């Protein structure tokens, strides 16, 4: 061993846990990373390794990052750090979503823009440059927060969807789809945002559903030429669509009735929906349809098919003349249901997907023909709808429309209904459904390929892939990818005025060649004026670009190609190395967003999934279970949490929660604090204990601590146990991380740290302090050092700051730097230590812990505090190896922790217990049904021999029913030995079927032993409060206070004499009366103390004379 010299390094001292400020230390680590350019250094060191490909979904920089972003960013950081530590090079580029409604909406608010006319007056160039000016508004705040959370990602080499290179690749994607005949221009009824003047895709419409109260009106449509003077009755929650009514629809198989009310009016409704007519039926009982009310009578009954083509009078005459030849008649279709309304559905083909389909099928309207649509882009009524409705927003016009219907005598009922309704995810205004022209991707034609490619990927958790995403793909419609907006990638389609010639441009070079103009930017205001000559000749007007821009979801779905400027650059590298991605991660809401668009475009382009592994997280909610809201201020600011508790605590809180299993998390600040208190502080204290004792050993011996020195292999059972447990942990973490199961990894890490601090350090405290001599101490310190170093490397992806801080000190012990790297994040993920795995010792120590925990339970319920020794402990179990270990190397730990004088073992638990069997009703109930009674009776009647045989074989037969280990619960019940009372002995069974029996009678000798422990405890507290270190030797003096109880004082003096050996070993000296202290002694500390016996004394600590 080398003598410590002035130049030899050792562990730096560290502060107490209560003084360790996690946020402050993290700031110091951030500075170290910045000063050493640690992230780029890691990338440089890993060059040449296999590439691990990660795609980062682009957020908008027009808003600030919230907990959802921090959560997803943490998951991404954990996985990519782990990939780097397992032999990969991991490029991590941040991305920005710069186009689309989120940006435009901010400018519309700022400039008070109400619609297209305002934009045209201003000029698209001015409008777009306003948009450009804010797209990176909060980019520095994003960079600050993301960096503060410990995430390593490249902001300097980021990608932006507004970059010409990115936009050019988006053009290539579109042109490729066009050439594959996977794009078409059509009209379709789609969700439409009147606030943003644009249609939304189906998945966007599903992002924000809210419960709202809407009018629910029932309206009469008089049948033309009906002898009964009957009216068809329809029900709708969108009165604003009634001015465009062109047809009614019934189910061809339903029974419909003509029913007369007491006033003589005759209405036609589905028989099953008579209750929809006010007053038509009596109150129903037990959920059954009520009988007709008095005065009401059915005068005719027909099936729906018989109502086909029956004509009726339109509710409004706005389109009566132009549509009378084909419209205002009854259609039949099976989409009509009888679970609500009247069984007759009003049809407005411009405002309903089914309405449009049904009216086309029945010739009410024709494809490409006139489609009554008196609603403008802002959602307001226009010609031919007259005042007072004209100019009103459709939702605001409902009230006036209902009044007009009532005035015409056609209103049968006017009510309200609370139902779930889609809102615009950006403007938070109600959507309407409206027929619009759009470019569509033919998703339906590649549905089978989408399903097949989804099956090739791995999602965590898997149910999101197998159910939610699979079902979404199953029901997927053609995807509308164009928006009649301004700030986005323009759709590269140039068309002639007559529509006969269309040209799709796939690159900037192609546009320059076609137009003869130099192009530097391809936003609308740079290219809308460019024309392409018509190939039919100069007599034809030139081709002009269509107005639309791409939906921003099309851009984000194109990011695998566009961030690489594929295929214009990086073509070979892209195709061979970086597509598809190994890993992506975002929130559950992206199943209908980014995950979907990635899958659609990669399938359409390459018939491959864009990714192979996906981690999907749930939503982070406020503590009350509601959505986090800035206006409600129902959640703490993320930056405040980071400044108060640190990033590591927040990271571990988030990824050790249900949210990593795609379930919701109610964010609670106290949860972050609990992580700090219950995990980080115990971990830190174990590390500090190592540092203290390494420094003590070096100071005492003058020999440097070398954890790699020969002859320090683990011999002690707990050294071998912690080494084995560490190897098991490393194997487990690697396996689970390779399966992307973060939700299993963190609980195991938390459990391991608990074992390290509560078992290894706690039980070995005296060894680590030098109780058994220098050789054993160094073995113990080497064992603890190895565990902490491996734990640093294992936890580095999860807690990058704390692992780095600890590693920077630990690596100082390695001889001449040894195999240490400058940063823990440059090190390889640990390998299981050769030969360290020992299943027997892990199992025996786990059972030993069960013995100790069970013994504590027995003490507690019998009011026997741990400071009071008990005479005897018996451990009963049928595993001879375990009992042998318990009586051997583990004995001292059990005896000390449970404070017992004797410990015995028993191989036959039935010496102290009876066993009986109980049926597991939870497992058997559904399976056995009526046979449960007989089987349960047989199980309860099992003899001891039957139960023991079942324990050995795992099977028990009752007639033709064979029961297995999960079907029968075997219970042990303590049986007092003959002649022993419950006041003298108690027992309990812990985990692993370990039975613990304890003598609980306490005599005077035992009480004195307990008092001695108390006496030592009081002096140790006095040492600590006076600032003494473990290595500081002192003399101990006492003075019994006269004011105390006489019996208690005498008892204390008796204890000091009878427990002299224990006190000398624990205190390092014999306690002496104060009168024995020399007059010139240097007093270090004095304190008043008391024992639970009532004895009171003054303790004095004096420095040893040299």
């Amino acid at each position: 061993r080398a003598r410590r010299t002035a130049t030899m390094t050792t562990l730096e001292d560290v502060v107490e846990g209560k003084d360790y400020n996690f946020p402050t230390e993290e700031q110091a680590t951030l500075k170290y990373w910045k000063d050493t350019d640690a992230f780029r250094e890691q990338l440089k060191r890993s060059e040449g390794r296999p590439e691990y490909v990660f795609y980062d979904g682009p957020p908008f920089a027009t808003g600030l990052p919230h907990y959802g972003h921090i959560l997803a960013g943490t998951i991404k950081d954990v996985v990519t750090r782990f990939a780097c530590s397992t032999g990969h090079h991991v490029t991590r580029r941040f991305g920005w979503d710069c186009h689309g409604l989120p940006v435009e909406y901010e400018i519309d608010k700022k400039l008070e823009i109400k619609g297209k006319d305002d934009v045209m007056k201003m000029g698209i160039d001015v409008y777009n440059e306003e948009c450009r000016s804010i797209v990176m508004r909060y980019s520095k705040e994003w960079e600050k927060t993301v960096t503060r959370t410990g995430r390593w990602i490249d902001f300097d080499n980021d990608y932006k969807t507004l970059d010409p290179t990115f936009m050019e690749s988006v053009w290539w994607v579109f042109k490729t789809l066009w050439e594959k005949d996977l794009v078409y221009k059509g009209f379709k009824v789609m969700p439409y945002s009147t606030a943003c003047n644009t249609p939304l895709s189906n998945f966007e419409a599903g992002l924000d559903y809210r419960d709202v109260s809407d009018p629910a009106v029932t309206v009469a449509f008089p049948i033309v030429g009906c002898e009964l003077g009957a009216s068809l009755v329809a029900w709708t929650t969108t009165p604003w669509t009634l001015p465009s009514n062109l047809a009614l629809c019934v189910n061809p198989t339903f029974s419909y009735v003509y029913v007369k009310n007491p006033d003589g009016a005759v209405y036609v409704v589905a028989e099953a929906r008579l209750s929809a007519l006010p007053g038509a039926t009596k109150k129903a009982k037990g959920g059954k349809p009520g009988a007709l009310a008095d005065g009401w009578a059915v005068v005719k009954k027909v099936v729906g098919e018989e109502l086909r083509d029956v004509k009726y009078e339109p509710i409004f005459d706005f389109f009566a003349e132009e549509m009378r030849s084909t419209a205002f008649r009854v259609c039949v279709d099976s989409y009509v249901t009888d679970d609500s309304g009247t069984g007759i559905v009003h049809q407005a083909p411009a405002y309903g997907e089914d309405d449009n389909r049904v009216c086309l099928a029945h010739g009410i309207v024709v494809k490409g023909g006139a489609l009554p649509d008196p609603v403008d882009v802002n959602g307001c009524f226009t010609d031919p709808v007259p005042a007072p409705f004209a100019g009103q927003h459709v939702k605001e016009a409902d009230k006036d429309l209902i009044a007009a219907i009532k005035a015409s005598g056609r209103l049968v009922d006017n009510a309200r209904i609370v139902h779930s309704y889609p809102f615009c995810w950006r403007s938070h205004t109600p959507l309407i459904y409206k027929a619009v022209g759009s470019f569509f991707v033919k998703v339906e034609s590649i549905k089978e390929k989408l399903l097949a490619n989804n099956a090739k990927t791995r999602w965590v958790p898997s149910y999101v892939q197998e159910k939610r995403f699979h079902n979404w793909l199953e029901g997927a419609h053609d995807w509308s990818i164009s928006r009649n907006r301004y700030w986005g990638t323009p759709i590269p389609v140039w068309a002639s005025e007559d529509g006969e010639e269309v040209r799709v441009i796939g690159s900037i070079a192609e546009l320059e060649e076609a137009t003869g103009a130099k192009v530097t930017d391809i936003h609308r205001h740079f290219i809308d004026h460019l024309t392409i000559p018509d190939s039919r000749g100069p007599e034809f007007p030139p081709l002009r670009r269509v107005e639309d821009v791409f939906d921003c979801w099309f851009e984000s779905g194109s990011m695998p190609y566009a961030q690489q400027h594929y295929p214009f650059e990086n073509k070979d590298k892209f195709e061979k190395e970086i597509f598809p991605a190994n890993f992506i991660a975002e929130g559950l809401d992206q199943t209908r967003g980014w995950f979907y668009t990635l899958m659609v475009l990669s399938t359409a382009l390459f018939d491959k999934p864009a990714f192979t592994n996906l981690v999907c997280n749930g939503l982070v909610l406020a503590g009350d279970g509601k959505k986090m809201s800035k206006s409600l201020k129902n959640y703490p600011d993320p930056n405040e949490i980071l400044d108060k508790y640190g990033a590591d605590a927040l990271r571990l809180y988030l990824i050790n929660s249900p949210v990593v299993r795609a379930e919701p998390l109610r964010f609670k600040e106290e949860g972050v604090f609990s992580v700090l208190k219950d995990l980080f502080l115990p971990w830190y204290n174990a590390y500090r204990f190592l540092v203290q004792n390494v420094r003590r050993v070096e100071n005492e011996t003058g020999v440097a601590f070398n954890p790699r020195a020969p002859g320090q292999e683990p011999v002690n059972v707990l050294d071998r146990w912690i080494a084995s447990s560490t190897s098991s942990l490393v194997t487990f973490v690697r396996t689970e991380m390779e399966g992307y199961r973060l939700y299993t990894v963190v609980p195991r890490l938390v459990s391991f740290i608990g074992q390290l601090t509560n078992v290894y350090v706690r039980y070995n405290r005296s060894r680590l302090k030098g109780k058994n001599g220098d050789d054993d101490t160094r073995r113990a310190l080497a064992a603890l050092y190895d565990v902490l170093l491996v734990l640093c490397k294992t936890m580095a992806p999860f807690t990058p700051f704390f692992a780095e801080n600890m590693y920077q000190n630990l690596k100082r012990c390695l001889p001449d730097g040894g195999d240490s790297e400058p940063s823990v994040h440059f090190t390889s993920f640990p390998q299981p230590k050769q030969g360290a795995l020992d299943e027997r010792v892990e199992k025996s120590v786990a059972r030993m812990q069960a013995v100790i925990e069970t013994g504590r339970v027995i003490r507690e319920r019998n009011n026997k505090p741990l400071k009071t020794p008990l005479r005897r402990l018996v451990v009963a179990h049928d595993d001879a190896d375990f009992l042998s270990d318990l009586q051997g190397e583990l004995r001292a730990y059990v005896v000390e922790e449970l404070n017992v004088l004797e410990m015995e073992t028993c191989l036959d638990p039935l010496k102290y217990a009876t066993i009986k069997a109980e049926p597991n009703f939870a497992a058997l109930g559904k399976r056995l049904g009526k046979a449960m009674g007989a089987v349960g009776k047989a199980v309860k009647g099992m003899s001891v021999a039957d139960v023991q045989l079942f324990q050995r074989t795992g099977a028990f037969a009752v007639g033709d029913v064979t029961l297995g280990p999960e079907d029968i619960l075997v219970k042990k019940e303590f049986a007092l030995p003959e002649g022993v009372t419950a006041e003298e002995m108690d027992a309990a069974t812990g985990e692993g079927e370990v039975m613990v029996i304890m003598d609980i009678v306490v005599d005077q000798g035992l009480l004195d032993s307990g008092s001695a422990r108390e006496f030592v405890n009081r002096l140790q507290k006095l040492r600590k409060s006076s600032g003494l270190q473990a290595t500081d030797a002192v003399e101990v003096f006492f003075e019994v206070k006269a004011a105390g109880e006489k019996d208690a004082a005498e008892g204390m003096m008796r204890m000091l004499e009878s427990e002299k050996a224990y006190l000398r070993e624990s205190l390092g000296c014999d306690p002496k009366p104060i009168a024995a202290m020399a007059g010139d002694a240097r007093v270090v500390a004095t304190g008043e103390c008391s024992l639970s016996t009532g004895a009171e004394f003054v303790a004095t600590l004096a420095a040893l004379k040299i």
Side-chain angles (χ1 to χ4, degrees), residues 51 149 302 327 355 469 473 633 816 849 878 902 943 968 972 1092:
E51 188 71 29
T149 62
V302 297
D355 304 38
F469 194 63
L473 294 178
K633 295 182 179 177
D816 302 320
Q849 291 170 245
D878 56 11
E902 304 168 19
S943 66
I968 298 177
K972 288 180 186 171
S1092 59

Side-chain angles (χ1 to χ4, degrees), residues 636-902:
D637 185 291
N639 290 309
E640 291 178 8
I641 295 294
L642 291 168
D643 291 342
K644 194 171 182 180
Y645 305 105
D648 280 342
L650 178 58
R651 286 169 65 112
L652 220 54
Y653 169 69
L654 290 172
I655 55 179
N656 190 31
S657 73
V659 80
V660 187
R661 299 192 299 274
E663 298 170 15
L665 165 68
R666 293 187 177 194
F667 185 90
K668 295 185 178 177
E669 182 176 342
E670 54 266 34
V672 184
F673 174 69
S674 292
V675 170
L676 210 61
K677 176 172 62 74
D678 300 335
L679 188 141
F680 283 100
L681 279 176
W683 183 10
Y684 177 81
N685 287 332
Y687 160 64
R688 180 171 181 265
F689 193 68
L690 171 81
V691 172
Q692 285 178 311
N693 284 287
V694 165
R695 291 170 64 86
R696 176 188 58 77
V697 165
E698 291 182 330
N699 285 330
E700 288 178 355
T701 65
V703 178
F705 171 66
N706 178 5
R708 299 287 183 262
Q712 292 182 165
E713 296 76 17
V715 175
N716 174 277
V717 62
L718 287 191
D719 291 353
R720 301 198 317 271
W721 164 73
I722 198 66
S724 180
S725 297
T726 304
S727 291
S728 296
L729 173 75
V730 167
T731 302
F732 176 83
V733 172
R734 181 182 286 269
T735 300
E736 295 302 291
M737 283 299 292
E738 286 173 350
Y740 296 86
R741 294 180 290 273
L742 277 71
Y743 55 87
T744 65
V745 170
V746 180
R748 177 70 177 263
L749 289 168
V750 171
S751 172
F752 178 82
I753 291 170
Q755 296 282 299
L756 172 66
T757 57
N758 298 326
V759 178
Y760 184 78
V761 174
R762 176 190 168 99
Y763 295 177
N764 275 323
R765 188 169 289 272
S766 59
R767 284 184 64 222
L768 291 159
K769 284 185 174 182
K771 176 183 178 182
N772 299 335
D774 185 58
D775 184 70
D776 182 65
T777 298
R778 287 179 182 270
R779 286 181 188 274
L781 289 173
L784 181 55
Y785 178 93
D786 281 345
V787 172
L788 289 171
L789 187 63
V790 169
L791 195 55
C792 272
K793 295 177 182 180
T794 304
M795 288 290 283
F798 300 89
T799 57
F801 293 100
F802 193 57
E804 184 75 278
N805 184 292
M806 194 180 296
Y807 175 81
Q808 289 301 322
N809 201 16
L810 291 178
K811 73 185 179 75
R812 294 167 61 89
C813 273
L814 298 171
D816 302 320
D819 59 355
S820 68
E821 296 276 7
S823 167
V824 71
H825 301 291
F826 301 166
T827 64
S828 296
F829 192 82
Q831 296 289 344
K833 200 168 185 178
Q834 195 70 29
L837 278 172
D838 188 332
E839 290 184 13
R840 173 171 168 173
V841 79
E842 287 196 50
K843 185 181 289 185
S844 288
V845 172
R847 286 172 172 170
M848 176 194 76
Q849 291 170 245
V851 169
I852 292 168
E853 290 302 319
T854 307
R856 288 172 181 161
V857 168
I858 295 171
R859 275 182 167 278
E860 190 172 331
R861 73 184 179 201
N862 288 281
N863 197 26
K864 306 294 182 187
L866 268 172
K867 65 178 182 289
T868 304
L870 295 178
R871 183 73 55 196
R872 186 175 70 120
L873 165 79
V874 179
V875 179
H877 201 275
D878 56 11
D879 185 337
D881 287 343
F882 163 56
L883 295 184
S884 173
D885 293 342
L886 200 63
Q887 281 288 29
E889 297 174 294
L890 298 175
R891 178 186 180 85
Y893 296 108
V894 178
V895 168
E896 182 177 352
E897 285 298 315
L898 288 179
N899 196 11
V900 293
L901 303 185
E902 304 168 19

Side-chain angles (χ1 to χ4, degrees), residues 174 177 182-184 190 201 438-441 478-483 489 491 548-555 601:
F174 179 79
L177 297 184
L182 289 174
V183 176
Y184 67 93
M190 297 178 62
S201 59
S438 178
F439 284 92
F440 293 88
V441 174
D478 288 352
W479 171 24
S480 166
I481 60 170
S482 57
R483 299 290 177 264
T489 300
I491 289 187
D548 299 8
V549 297
F550 283 109
D551 167 26
C552 59
W553 291 101
F554 189 87
E555 292 180 323
L601 292 182

